[in-house]
Amino acid sequence: VAFGIALYVAIAIINHSTKNSLKESIESIAGKAKLSVSAGPSGFDESKLENIKKTTGVANAVAMVEARAFFEGGMESSDGIYISGVDLLQEQAVRTYKATDQRIIDDPLTFLNQPDSIILTEALAKQHGLVIDSKVNLSTANGIKTFTVRGLLEPEGAAKAYGGSLAIMDIDGARMMFGKENKIDRVDVIPVSGADVEVVRTALEKTLGSGFIIETPEAQSSQMQSMLESYQIILTFFSSLALMVGLFLVMNSISVSVAERKKEIGTLRALGATRNSMVTLFVTEVIGIGLVGSSLGCLFGRILADHLVTEVVNSVSAQFQTRIEVSHLEFTHEQIFFSIAFGTIASALAALLPSLKAAKVHPLESMKKHNENFSDEEDKQSKTAVFIGLGLLLFMTISMILKWGKIWAGIDLVTKVSSVLGSALFGPFLVFIFIRAFRTITKNYRSITLKLSQENLLRSRKRTSSNVTALMVGLFLVMMIATVRTSFHDTLTDWLDQIFVADLMVASNGRMITADVQLSRDEIQAELLAVPGVKPIGDDRGTGSRIAHFMYQGKKMVIKAMDHYADFYQYKNFAVQGADRNETTSKLFSSIEPTVLVTRGFLTKQNKEVGDMVELDTPSGGVNFKIIGEVIDFASPEGVFYMNRKFYKKYWKDSLVTAFVLNIVDGANLEQVRSEIDRRVGKKWNLVTISNAEFKQQMQQAIERTFAYTKAIEFIALLVGLLGLLNTLLISVMERTRELGMLRAVGATRQQISIMIMIEAVFQGFFGAIVAILLGSYVGKLFVEYSLSSSLGWIVQFHFPRSSIFSTLVTGVIVAVIAGILPSKRASQLNIREALDYE
């Protein structure tokens, strides 16, 4: 219970704290503003500021330019900072800043008269060892530029945004440095006192027309939190499955405990205890276990969250290109109460079925059968067939729900319960098949210990089933996670192999694999193509791409605006689905009307089809694009739009480039060409050149980091399985005391008894692992192809986790050996007379 709750609590804490961190950043930046005006990634013309100020109901409007900058040599998102270009003469009407030297804020002219000025937060300065008057080199659209730290901000107001990774510049200087001349990224609006915010928003919409996003800070926060939900689906999915495993093992342990305590039950019933009182007895015991276990789980979960939060937050930041810094983890009283109550109630429910079973046992039958090894009479073929059939039915239920689950309520809970129970009921049947097959293979082997071990496992089906289930369910979860992880990994790498056909990619500082880089000037392309060894691209062709986030109906999506690459690419960088790639993609660049390729996630969630029109908001107003095809891309689960960059430049008024792709001439040396690019162009514009192989390697590492947290989930699942197997093995040894005493009486040595118990444990671990591999990969396949693909909006192909087969088998055996050490030692040390007298 404790470890199951711990994992659930850890993920819940991280999810809650991440959302709060995003909300705090948005509110800190918004300050006193009740509305913000923006127009997508490219910004809009600064002349619109006067129109906003003149709108009825607007008391104040303050412009801002936003940019992403990286410290010189920085190649990770943690090396980047968010630049806010502000007008300090107007800024205090919206946001408050508290600096260590308040003069820089109170007297903005001191700051403005020195164009290289920059203000950092104290946290950021401390992280990089900077003080006032320190020089700092930052990557800009004009290459590396040196700035002077003029002030440090205390962690109040806007300085709390982005986890403190924030720097303040003069708005005009920021425009010049980051390629946003005559533009504004956002305008924060303060309505006149007493004005209705919705009325002011409507007035602004009429003033500005289409193409502008006007929203409240609360709406922005809601959108960002909604963006996170697709990622958190996987986190919650795995953690709640681990909790299901833990609760199932509670039920399993209570079942074994009921069987072991038959004499006690019979005695109490003979003394007058009613069936209801017996149910109450067992459920009350488990409520106590649930309370203590859930309380410990909250403590362990808080500790586990500290260890997992960095991996999870870095993964989210990289995926959504939004720096998230969780400064503190929040574990509220409400969360603690809910977790303890949930664990306790769930434990009580898990104990209800075996408790009801215990209450039905007749007193005389209980007292007469207390030492008969989970009696063979209970292992009737009819009961076995019922369990097997129920297990198969649950697997069929999973398949049907996942395929047609939209009509079901509570689909998530039903599928998780069905997957765990189905494996628990059907899995032991498969284990017995493997044990029988192994017995046939080794029938001529003369080891009496081996034969006894096999016969013990097959004879006492209920005991063996309980032992196998304890470990198998934990391994089932491990294999299921491996299936999901492998499917994501292989799908992404296969897609990358297909679309990344360039020899070299060139971009400025940042994280190239997520397009989180400093944007570059368009004119750099000519300098790159002039480098000896770079393959010519032909007339009217380009090498640049612009990748940007934008909002569509409240959802954050991605635009990939691409130049018409050279003919030798043959459109291989487009993973077109359901149509001819060359024919479809050529229309993207030959059409005189705006056209787009979009991903399946967008078509599904927005109820669109190929051939439909979609209106996109741009700084030039709403523009209708025709959907001419479907493409695979994993840049956003909500939707990715491929378009001709000439239309992006036309409507978004943005000529900046995220990256350039280059090929080398036949016979040229790649490393020599790259060195020449660095010498001629790279140093001047602060560009980084990486090869095809290096880019793919970085992507592989990023995927592995994305799923790094699953190792903790697998560890918890195995630990729960280990404890469950240890528990059932110990109880089974206690329950077999007379049997073991009889073996000792007829000549079995202590060593033989110990080896026999250990062989039984190893068999259960090995064959349980095989069944876990089969069932876990099957259920994982269902979740990958239906549940996760549907909820995330990505087409994820199932890939069998071959590399996990050996590790799962080894893990199953090792866990079984560890769990078998204490029971085998206890069995070998039994005193013969005491064992024979055991009742």
Side-chain angles (χ1 to χ4, degrees):
V1 175
F3 284 115
I5 287 289
L7 190 60
Y8 182 82
V9 164
I11 298 302
I13 291 173
I14 293 172
N15 285 349
H16 178 74
S17 300
T18 303
K19 288 182 178 181
N20 282 352
S21 176
L22 274 175
K23 182 179 180 182
E24 182 181 62
S25 291
I26 292 169
E27 291 177 349
S28 299
I29 286 292
K32 302 172 187 176
K34 300 299 181 183
L35 293 166
S36 70
V37 180
S38 60
S42 62
F44 55 94
D45 192 276
E46 63 179 333
S47 63
K48 297 291 184 181
L49 178 61
E50 289 304 314
N51 296 340
I52 294 172
K53 288 182 176 180
K54 293 176 181 178
T55 301
T56 303
V58 173
N60 213 327
V62 179
M64 176 187 288
V65 168
E66 298 175 310
R68 191 88 157 94
F70 289 82
F71 289 95
E72 185 176 17
M75 293 302 295
E76 292 292 334
S77 57
S78 57
D79 297 316
I81 58 175
Y82 287 87
I83 301 290
S84 288
V86 302
D87 183 352
L88 279 181
L89 297 174
Q90 304 290 328
E91 182 69 2
Q92 293 188 57
V94 179
R95 281 167 285 274
T96 58
Y97 301 95
K98 185 176 181 181
T100 52
D101 182 359
Q102 195 61 26
R103 290 175 299 172
I104 197 72
I105 302 298
D106 295 337
D107 186 11
L109 292 177
T110 304
F111 182 73
L112 297 175
N113 288 334
Q114 302 171 80
D116 66 340
S117 298
I118 192 170
I119 304 175
L120 304 179
T121 63
E122 280 187 314
L124 188 63
K126 184 178 181 180
Q127 180 183 348
H128 293 274
L130 302 172
V131 295
I132 292 177
D133 293 330
S134 290
K135 304 293 183 180
V136 55
N137 293 330
L138 294 178
S139 174
T140 74
N142 302 316
I144 292 291
K145 296 297 179 182
T146 301
F147 297 86
T148 303
V149 179
R150 303 292 182 190
L152 300 177
L153 297 176
E154 296 182 8
E156 295 184 17
K160 294 189 295 183
Y162 307 115
S165 297
L166 180 73
I168 306 297
M169 286 183 62
D170 171 55
I171 189 169
D172 291 325
R175 285 171 176 155
M176 181 182 67
M177 288 295 181
F178 297 99
K180 299 192 175 186
E181 291 86 350
N182 304 316
K183 285 188 175 182
I184 296 171
D185 283 313
R186 63 182 278 169
V187 174
D188 291 305
V189 176
I190 300 177
V192 297
S193 180
D196 186 288
V197 174
E198 280 303 310
V199 172
V200 176
R201 191 173 72 83
T202 302
L204 286 169
E205 287 177 346
K206 291 180 180 179
T207 299
L208 296 172
S210 63
F212 289 84
I213 302 168
I214 306 167
E215 55 191 354
T216 63
E218 292 78 15
Q220 287 179 299
S221 177
S222 177
Q223 290 165 6
M224 291 296 287
Q225 292 185 26
S226 176
M227 174 190 75
L228 283 176
E229 287 178 0
S230 61
Y231 183 88
Q232 293 177 337
I233 284 172
I234 301 178
L235 287 174
T236 306
F237 171 75
F238 286 143
S239 66
S240 54
L241 259 180
L243 179 59
M244 282 296 305
V245 170
L247 294 176
F248 174 80
L249 292 179
V250 169
M251 182 174 70
N252 184 64
S253 296
I254 294 298
S255 296
V256 176
S257 177
V258 167
E260 192 270 335
R261 296 164 66 183
K262 281 185 177 179
K263 183 180 180 181
E264 175 190 338
I265 296 171
T267 303
L268 290 173
R269 293 278 285 117
L271 290 173
T274 64
R275 291 181 175 180
N276 288 339
S277 64
M278 295 309 302
V279 172
T280 304
L281 171 67
F282 280 101
V283 171
T284 304
E285 287 180 7
V286 176
I287 286 175
I289 292 172
L291 278 170
V292 177
S294 299
S295 300
L296 288 172
C298 290
L299 176 62
F300 295 157
R302 180 61 183 82
I303 296 171
L304 183 61
D306 283 327
H307 293 280
L308 287 179
V309 65
T310 301
E311 291 288 352
V312 174
V313 168
N314 286 344
S315 178
V316 175
S317 299
Q319 183 170 344
F320 296 105
Q321 298 182 29
T322 301
R323 181 62 180 166
I324 300 173
E325 189 73 35
V326 179
S327 55
H328 63 283
L329 293 172
E330 296 185 40
F331 194 23
T332 64
H333 291 94
E334 290 79 6
Q335 287 178 308
I336 295 173
F337 175 79
F338 174 81
S339 300
I340 293 175
F342 178 67
T344 303
I345 294 171
S347 298
L349 291 175
L352 189 58
L353 184 62
S355 300
L356 288 171
K357 183 178 178 181
K360 292 180 181 179
V361 179
H362 192 277
L364 291 178
E365 184 183 359
S366 297
M367 298 179 74
K368 193 166 62 176
K369 287 186 176 182
H370 64 274
N371 62 345
E372 294 187 10
N373 297 333
F374 293 84
S375 172
D376 289 334
E377 293 182 25
E378 295 181 329
D379 294 326
K380 294 180 181 179
Q381 293 297 324
S382 59
K383 183 177 289 188
T384 301
V386 169
F387 286 145
I388 295 170
L390 183 57
L392 283 172
L393 179 62
L394 288 171
F395 279 120
M396 292 173 61
T397 301
I398 298 172
S399 301
M400 290 188 293
I401 289 178
L402 292 177
K403 289 180 181 179
W404 302 290
K406 289 185 178 180
I407 64 172
W408 289 73
I411 174 177
D412 192 49
L413 178 61
V414 172
T415 52
K416 288 169 184 170
V417 171
S418 297
S419 65
V420 175
L421 289 181
S423 300
L425 293 173
F426 186 60
F429 168 70
L430 297 178
V431 170
F432 285 120
I433 291 177
F434 285 120
I435 294 175
R436 287 194 186 96
F438 188 77
R439 182 180 63 175
T440 301
I441 295 171
T442 61
K443 64 181 179 180
N444 295 324
Y445 193 70
R446 295 187 177 182
S447 171
I448 188 65
T449 307
L450 177 64
K451 291 183 180 295
L452 274 175
S453 299
Q454 294 171 338
E455 292 304 324
N456 286 336
L457 293 174
L458 292 172
R459 178 170 52 86
S460 302
R461 294 180 60 89
K462 189 171 182 181
R463 181 179 67 218
T464 302
S465 296
S466 298
N467 294 348
V468 166
T469 302
L471 179 59
M472 187 192 67
V473 173
L475 290 173
F476 163 81
L477 179 59
V478 170
M479 196 63 191
M480 189 174 171
I481 292 173
T483 302
V484 174
R485 182 176 62 237
T486 301
S487 296
F488 267 91
H489 178 277
D490 290 356
T491 298
L492 285 170
T493 51
D494 289 349
W495 167 71
L496 194 64
D497 287 337
Q498 177 184 347
I499 68 161
F500 193 65
V501 293
D503 292 328
L504 297 169
M505 180 176 285
V506 183
S508 188
N509 275 31
R511 200 163 186 259
M512 205 175 294
I513 56 173
T514 57
D516 186 17
V517 299
Q518 172 56 55
L519 300 175
S520 302
R521 300 278 185 180
D522 202 6
E523 54 265 28
I524 294 176
Q525 174 180 280
E527 297 183 38
L528 291 171
L529 291 172
V531 174
V534 173
K535 200 169 186 176
I537 60 173
D539 296 335
D540 299 322
R541 299 300 175 94
T543 66
S545 62
R546 176 71 163 96
I547 302 175
H549 285 95
F550 76 106
M551 301 302 296
Y552 177 83
Q553 295 187 0
K555 301 293 185 180
K556 193 172 186 180
M557 304 194 184
V558 171
I559 286 177
K560 290 193 173 182
M562 310 175 82
D563 285 336
H564 194 181
Y565 292 164
D567 287 334
F568 53 76
Y569 284 108
Q570 298 179 339
Y571 303 117
K572 292 180 181 178
N573 53 315
F574 293 87
V576 175
Q577 296 293 295
D580 182 81
R581 182 185 64 204
N582 290 337
E583 180 182 345
T584 301
T585 312
S586 63
K587 294 178 183 177
L588 193 70
F589 297 103
S590 62
S591 175
I592 59 174
E593 299 296 327
T595 57
V596 289
L597 300 171
V598 298
T599 52
R600 168 56 51 185
F602 175 81
L603 294 174
T604 301
K605 295 180 180 181
Q606 300 296 330
N607 294 317
K608 296 283 187 181
E609 296 180 356
V610 174
D612 290 347
M613 303 298 292
V614 55
E615 183 177 358
L616 303 183
D617 290 331
T618 79
S620 304
V623 178
N624 283 310
F625 285 77
K626 184 177 182 179
I627 301 173
I628 61 170
E630 179 187 338
V631 67
I632 293 178
D633 196 290
F634 298 92
S636 169
E638 294 295 339
V640 182
F641 290 69
Y642 282 57
M643 68 175 63
N644 189 338
R645 197 161 74 94
K646 74 176 184 181
F647 289 118
Y648 180 81
K649 289 192 285 187
K650 176 181 178 180
Y651 295 115
W652 275 266
K653 312 294 183 185
D654 178 13
S655 62
L656 294 174
V657 176
T658 301
F660 300 94
V661 295
L662 304 173
N663 274 57
I664 62 174
V665 298
D666 296 338
N669 183 283
L670 187 143
E671 289 303 320
Q672 290 179 356
V673 175
R674 179 157 68 171
S675 297
E676 195 65 15
I677 291 173
D678 291 340
R679 187 181 68 83
R680 292 186 176 214
V681 189
K683 292 181 179 178
K684 175 183 176 183
W685 294 99
N686 187 42
L687 300 176
V688 177
T689 306
I690 66 172
S691 67
N692 184 310
E694 289 169 336
F695 184 82
K696 291 177 181 178
Q697 183 181 16
Q698 289 181 16
M699 178 63 80
Q700 298 246 8
Q701 292 171 349
I703 297 170
E704 289 170 3
R705 284 199 298 267
T706 298
F707 285 95
Y709 65 87
T710 62
K711 298 297 182 184
I713 298 176
E714 292 177 20
F715 175 76
I716 294 287
L718 287 175
L719 191 57
V720 171
L722 170 63
L723 294 173
L725 181 58
L726 174 62
N727 181 48
T728 54
L729 283 174
L730 277 172
I731 292 176
S732 71
V733 168
M734 291 171 58
E735 193 266 342
R736 296 164 62 188
T737 300
R738 286 194 72 185
E739 174 191 331
L740 295 173
M742 291 175 67
L743 287 173
R744 289 280 287 116
V746 297
T749 65
R750 294 181 185 273
Q751 185 180 19
Q752 285 177 318
I753 296 294
S754 177
I755 292 174
M756 182 184 72
I757 299 296
M758 186 59 74
I759 289 175
E760 291 179 16
V762 170
F763 276 2
Q764 291 170 106
F766 180 75
F767 293 121
I770 291 177
V771 173
I773 289 170
L774 296 174
L775 298 183
S777 56
Y778 170 72
V779 176
K781 179 178 185 294
L782 293 177
F783 276 100
V784 164
E785 292 182 342
Y786 299 107
S787 178
L788 293 179
S789 291
S790 174
S791 59
L792 293 176
W794 286 328
I795 300 176
V796 181
Q797 302 294 332
F798 167 73
H799 289 81
F800 186 74
R802 295 182 181 86
S803 60
S804 299
I805 294 176
F806 179 74
S807 61
T808 302
L809 286 173
V810 171
T811 301
V813 172
I814 291 175
V815 170
V817 169
I818 295 172
I821 290 174
L822 184 59
S824 63
K825 183 179 180 181
R826 179 168 183 168
S828 66
Q829 293 177 346
L830 287 173
N831 180 278
I832 297 177
R833 175 171 294 184
E834 290 178 0
L836 292 173
D837 289 340
Y838 181 77
E839 295 292 339

